[in-house]
């Protein structure tokens, strides 16, 4: 008798919990909005908003936004900096690169030295929010939380365009920028 009761409970209890599921609810109504306040090494504020898997930067609507997740000690990150600078200058009115360092507690002076030495002439943010942001981007792009760097993720009007893992040829990135801009 005890075995029959135990077996019956093991069948009925999971069904009760399934009956309480909210799967029928529209998932879009459950989209969480998160805001990340970031400050670049030169003191400029950037407010990034995440809605679902979409990312926007306040004040840069209509631009192609690229998050460059990197580290100063990473050889491919160093090598890509001049190419990213060239693209930032070429498409300056339509394109924004935000370098997001994965290094905790790095000093702005060290990031400025990186910018100088490797020709990274674009915004690099160094805030307590960096880790939250790059983890949210990694999650949204499904690259996992132990992703290789550099990880560059491109958005236009908040919509995901593409991402690159590792050093990527400048021509490939430029081609995607042109597509996003309709050129």
């Amino acid at each position: 008798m005890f075995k029959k009761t135990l077996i019956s409970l093991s069948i009925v209890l999971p069904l009760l919990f399934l009956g309480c599921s909210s799967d029928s609810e529209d998932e879009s109504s459950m989209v969480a909005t998160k805001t990340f306040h970031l400050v670049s090494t030169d003191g400029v504020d950037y407010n990034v908003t995440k809605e679902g898997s979409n990312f926007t930067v306040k004040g840069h609507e209509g631009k192609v936004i690229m998050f460059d997740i990197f580290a100063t000690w990473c050889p491919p990150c160093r090598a890509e900096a001049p190419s990213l600078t060239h693209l930032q200058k070429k498409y300056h009115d339509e394109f924004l690169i935000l370098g997001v360092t994965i290094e905790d507690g790095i000093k702005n002076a060290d990031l400025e030295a990186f910018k100088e030495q490797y020709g990274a002439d674009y915004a690099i943010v160094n805030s307590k929010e960096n880790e939250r942001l790059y983890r949210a981007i990694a999650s949204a792009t499904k690259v996992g939380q132990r992703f290789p760097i550099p990880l560059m993720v491109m958005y236009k009007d908040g919509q995901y365009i593409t991402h690159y893992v590792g050093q990527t040829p400048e021509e490939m990135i430029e081609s995607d920028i042109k597509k996003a801009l309709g050129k």
Side-chain angles (χ1 to χ4, degrees), residues 2 10 19 61 73 78 90 93 96 100 130 165:
F2 179 73
S10 66
E61 294 79 8
W73 46 261
R78 293 171 175 176
K90 187 172 184 177
D93 290 333
L96 173 69
V100 182
N130 277 25
V165 177

Side-chain angles (χ1 to χ4, degrees), residues 2-30:
F2 179 73
K3 285 184 180 179
K4 286 183 182 179
T5 304
L6 191 56
I7 291 171
S8 295
L9 283 175
S10 66
I11 293 171
V12 172
L13 283 176
L15 292 175
L16 287 173
F17 287 110
L18 286 175
C20 295
S21 173
S22 63
D23 288 343
S24 62
E25 208 174 308
D26 181 12
E27 285 187 20
S28 64
S29 67
M30 300 174 65

Side-chain angles (χ1 to χ4, degrees), residues 77-89 111-122 124:
C77 302
R78 293 171 175 176
E80 76 176 6
S83 294
L84 294 180
T85 294
H86 179 252
L87 292 170
Q88 179 68 79
K89 287 180 178 180
L111 288 171
E112 287 296 327
F114 169 84
K115 289 175 75 165
E116 179 75 25
Q117 184 173 358
Y118 298 102
D121 192 14
Y122 46 87
I124 294 181

Side-chain angles (χ1 to χ4, degrees), residues 69-110:
I69 302 168
F70 79 102
T72 58
W73 46 261
C74 162
C77 302
R78 293 171 175 176
E80 76 176 6
S83 294
L84 294 180
T85 294
H86 179 252
L87 292 170
Q88 179 68 79
K89 287 180 178 180
K90 187 172 184 177
Y91 296 97
H92 69 284
D93 290 333
E94 305 165 297
F95 184 54
L96 173 69
I97 298 172
L98 282 182
V100 182
T101 181
I102 63 167
E103 299 165 277
D104 287 334
I106 189 167
K107 295 177 182 155
N108 280 350
D110 294 335

Side-chain angles (χ1 to χ4, degrees), residues 91-165:
Y91 296 97
H92 69 284
D93 290 333
E94 305 165 297
F95 184 54
L96 173 69
I97 298 172
L98 282 182
V100 182
T101 181
I102 63 167
E103 299 165 277
D104 287 334
I106 189 167
K107 295 177 182 155
N108 280 350
D110 294 335
L111 288 171
E112 287 296 327
F114 169 84
K115 289 175 75 165
E116 179 75 25
Q117 184 173 358
Y118 298 102
D121 192 14
Y122 46 87
I124 294 181
V125 294
N126 187 22
S127 302
K128 292 179 182 178
E129 295 283 299
N130 277 25
E131 183 174 2
R132 274 188 57 225
L133 176 62
Y134 71 70
R135 293 207 179 278
I137 292 170
S139 181
T141 56
K142 297 179 177 31
V143 296
Q145 292 300 305
R146 292 184 173 206
F147 54 87
I149 54 173
L151 170 64
M152 295 173 283
V153 186
M154 196 181 298
Y155 294 88
K156 171 83 165 54
D157 297 324
Q159 301 296 310
Y160 169 83
I161 297 171
T162 191
H163 71 274
Y164 316 95
V165 177

